[in-house]
Amino acid sequence: MGHKLLLLTKVNQQYRDLIEALELPNLVLLNDDPKHLIEADIWLAEPKLAAPLLPHAKNLKWLQSSFAGIEALMSPRGRKDYLLTNIKGIFGPLMSEYVFGYLLAHIRSHDFYRLQQRQKHWQVESPPYSSLQNMRLLLLGTGSIAQYLAKTAQHFGMHVTGINSSGNTVDSFDAIETMPTLGEALTKADVVVNLLPSTPATRNILNADMLATLKPDAILFNVGRGDALDLDALNNQLIANPSQQAILDVFTQEPLPNSHPIWERENTIITPHMSALSQPEQIVIQFSQNYYRYLAGKPLANVIDFNKGY
């Protein structure tokens, strides 16, 4: 018996062309007719597009998210009677470029020397710049993205600590801490990168009390999920500590409202959730690999635990 696939993305035709080229066995690729919501047993979908349509998915058995983030499908009252898989393993290099691109520009005094160039002024800042060597990096999360970042950081000679829920050791980290010790770990970190998923346990974990423990010149990246960070508390923190820096790519409300005062902070960089954008070609490869597992009755890769939220 064949399977019927429904696409729910903003670029359906691009996905359709890529999947048709693979000629996956026993797979019928449905068009965008709304009646196919009922017929399809497999969805390849963006979570925010899929969430409101799930009540109509009478035959859904497996939903392959086209994103890593699946919080739109994690409503306590939402359906949990299907397999949900997400995308992993392709974001590490992209996230590493983002984090270390901004980090290196900051510690190498890029803004200072760029301003000098515009002024045609030759002066060596004192000190001219700092170095990543021996700086302490704290990664909130120790999954595949964090592991890639940890390897990159060690290349630069940084000391890398990870925070996870188990305390189990992870390759490429110098030390692992657990959530109850987050406050203490923050006091030691020169650079903090939040990569945590969105779960009840992680929401607002970077609240006013936690932010107050940061070093006076700490650099904070939020590239995991927006709801881990209390944005109002961070705004106040950055006003009180002008030597601290924040690089923010994810927010609880997106787009970030133009009325929020965080836009005005000189010690903040805001990007529109673009730190690690996946490409349909990469997603289709992971989908096809999972589809062959599905046909063979084997466990799928990157299955989401609805109870944990990741």
Side-chain angles (χ1 to χ4, degrees), residues 138 140 161 163 177-178 181-189 192 213:
L138 178 64
L140 309 190
T161 298
I163 293 274
E177 302 285 350
T178 56
T181 64
L182 174 59
E184 182 180 354
L186 288 170
T187 66
K188 303 173 184 177
V192 179
T213 67

Side-chain angles (χ1 to χ4, degrees), residues 2 18 36 40 49 51 53 78 100 108 118-119 121 129-130 143 151 153 180 206 215-216 265 280 289 297-300:
L18 290 166
H36 291 149
L49 297 181
L53 301 175
F100 285 94
R108 281 277 177 161
R118 290 198 294 266
Q119 297 171 340
H121 187 209
Y129 52 79
S130 56
K151 291 177 183 177
L206 291 173
K215 286 185 172 183
R265 302 285 71 78
Q289 292 170 343
K298 296 179 179 179
L300 302 188

Side-chain angles (χ1 to χ4, degrees), residues 19-305:
I19 292 171
E20 286 178 345
L22 292 176
E23 298 182 347
L24 297 174
N26 300 318
L27 184 67
V28 176
L29 189 52
L30 302 174
N31 62 32
D32 298 337
D33 191 318
K35 70 180 182 182
H36 291 149
L37 291 171
I38 298 174
E39 294 182 32
D41 60 321
I42 302 174
W43 288 13
L44 173 57
E46 297 176 17
K48 286 186 178 180
L49 297 181
L53 301 175
L54 280 176
H56 306 288
K58 304 301 182 183
N59 292 305
L60 179 63
K61 300 295 187 297
W62 166 36
L63 191 158
Q64 172 68 64
S65 168
S66 59
F67 295 165
I70 40 72
E71 54 267 24
L73 301 170
M74 291 293 106
S75 168
R77 297 182 181 179
R79 286 181 58 177
K80 300 177 176 63
D81 60 343
Y82 62 96
L83 275 172
L84 174 61
T85 56
N86 71 344
I87 298 297
K88 290 183 180 177
I90 63 177
F91 301 108
L94 296 171
M95 195 66 79
S96 187
E97 290 171 2
Y98 179 92
V99 169
F100 285 94
Y102 282 109
L103 183 55
L104 287 166
H106 175 69
I107 68 158
R108 281 277 177 161
S109 303
H110 174 88
D111 289 343
F112 175 83
Y113 292 109
R114 186 65 175 167
L115 177 61
Q116 279 204 159
Q117 179 182 343
R118 290 198 294 266
Q119 297 171 340
K120 300 180 181 179
H121 187 209
W122 184 286
Q123 175 188 335
V124 177
E125 188 183 24
S126 181
Y129 52 79
S130 56
S131 170
L132 292 182
Q133 294 180 57
N134 300 315
M135 289 181 72
R136 302 183 74 87
L137 171 65
L138 178 64
L139 297 174
L140 309 190
T142 58
S144 59
I145 295 175
Q147 290 169 36
Y148 199 100
L149 282 171
K151 291 177 183 177
T152 305
Q154 289 190 335
H155 168 79
F156 286 111
M158 302 181 79
H159 181 280
V160 187
T161 298
I163 293 274
N164 62 26
S165 57
S166 67
N168 293 336
T169 58
V170 181
D171 288 345
S172 301
F173 288 83
D174 297 298
I176 296 292
E177 302 285 350
T178 56
M179 290 298 182
T181 64
L182 174 59
E184 182 180 354
L186 288 170
T187 66
K188 303 173 184 177
D190 299 299
V191 183
V192 179
V193 181
N194 172 53
L195 295 158
L196 293 170
S198 177
T199 70
T202 61
R203 285 178 198 132
N204 265 3
I205 194 167
L206 291 173
N207 54 36
D209 290 340
M210 287 297 173
L211 293 172
T213 67
L214 290 170
K215 286 185 172 183
D217 58 351
I219 305 164
L220 172 66
F221 288 82
N222 194 27
V223 290
R225 294 292 169 255
D227 60 5
L229 174 65
D230 183 333
L231 198 60
D232 293 333
L234 177 64
N235 182 63
N236 294 332
Q237 177 79 13
L238 293 172
I239 292 172
N241 298 272
S243 293
Q244 292 179 347
Q245 297 285 321
I247 296 90
L248 310 175
D249 186 57
V250 291
F251 303 87
T252 302
Q253 182 179 350
E254 295 182 357
L256 176 66
N258 59 18
S259 59
H260 199 286
I262 198 76
W263 285 105
E264 306 297 328
R265 302 285 71 78
E266 292 293 330
N267 49 346
T268 299
I269 293 173
I270 292 171
T271 58
H273 204 148
M274 45 61 71
S275 56
L277 298 175
S278 56
Q279 299 300 317
E281 292 83 356
Q282 298 169 305
I283 293 165
V284 166
I285 289 172
Q286 290 207 5
F287 168 74
S288 65
Q289 292 170 343
N290 251 350
Y291 180 69
Y292 281 111
R293 294 187 185 99
Y294 192 71
L295 286 180
K298 296 179 179 179
L300 302 188
N302 307 326
V303 174
I304 299 299
D305 184 327

